[in-house]
Amino acid sequence: MKQIKIGLLGMGNIGTGTYKTLEMNRARISANTGLDLVITKILEKDLARERDVTVTPEQFTQEPADILEAPDIDIVIELLGGIEPATGFMLTAMHNGKHVVTANKAAVAANYDRLMGAARANRVLFRFEASVGGGIPILNALTSPLLANEYEEIRGILNGTTNYILTMMAERGMSYEDALKSAQAQGFAEADPTADVEGHDVANKLSILISLAFGKRVPPGDIPTAGITGITMRDIEKAAADGGKLKLIALAKKAGDDLEYGVKPTFVANDHPLAGVNNEFNAIFVKGNAVGELMFYGKGAGPLPTGSAVMGDVIEIARAISL
Ligand code: HSE
């Protein structure tokens, strides 16, 4: 069976979830693809962490070149998070002829043109499904089966951490601080959860969606963004008394030749489908001029749902390069 060698940059929550997804489903993946996918090298400093996967000390390295310059590695998975050194590593990997998969919305949103350009220039594949909506295959949907449409609107809940916090406050009366701690403990939050609660993570994801759906580059810093840090239990109780919930909503909508966009906490009436999207789940409404309205729903954060999306991209690339 043909072997595809993979280098993994970062084995934190998502790196571990990705490794575990492959470990859990290796036999099935091999049977479906006829390929043996192997993560041969892992760039990671924290070797002591309990990960509940089978990994040997020889797989770990602290030297990026062991992956980025390794002639036998076909695909690099970048799961370091943050804009740098992640972007530089991805560009180097592409320059060295490696295909790249990432879940890093901050790096993709900040350097979309550079990364896409480098992939084209080096004739490698670059995929980032896990960067938006965790396990929901929204980027694939927008760029493949829905491609016959002109998109009119994208609206949704794109951050698991804040949706979890708002759910816990509304349904369990939990404090904001306790709910955030619980989201962190479950591996939903970013390393610095400021990006989640201030709405920047959603702005990154919306910027990526706008690029793919509307063909327009709107840097995340240009998206009007408000997070949930100002929301009090009183606001949540008022929303409930008014027959609804507060949700952190991202919106991009055609308005004539213009595009309107923004991220902000929004009142959602209880009879609206987005009101039923709770915990770390995300949901994305898409309106296309042929298909009409669609809604995508699933876990938007967490090691295994995100690992599922990362491995989906890896498998697609492994198949494409083995044809
Ligand atoms: N911190 C992110 C979230 C992870 O909570 O949605 C998934 O992108």
Side-chain angles (χ1 to χ4, degrees), residues 98-178:
K98 302 186 189 314
H99 307 279
V100 172
V101 173
T102 185
N104 187 335
K105 49 268 155 121
V108 175
N111 293 302
Y112 187 86
D113 290 331
R114 274 175 84 196
L115 288 162
M116 297 297 267
R120 268 194 304 275
N122 293 292
R123 296 171 179 272
V124 294
L125 298 166
F126 174 49
R127 299 184 66 114
F128 42 91
E129 178 62 72
S131 66
V132 180
I136 305 171
I138 182 66
L139 304 188
N140 244 316
L142 290 175
T143 54
S144 189
L146 297 175
L147 207 49
N149 285 267
E150 181 173 324
Y151 297 111
E152 294 168 351
E153 183 178 324
I154 293 182
R155 181 190 300 262
I157 295 171
L158 296 177
N159 182 271
T161 301
T162 46
N163 203 42
Y164 179 86
I165 293 171
L166 292 173
T167 305
M168 289 298 128
M169 288 173 76
E171 295 192 355
R172 304 236 183 120
M174 202 185 264
S175 73
Y176 171 92
E177 291 76 18
D178 286 350

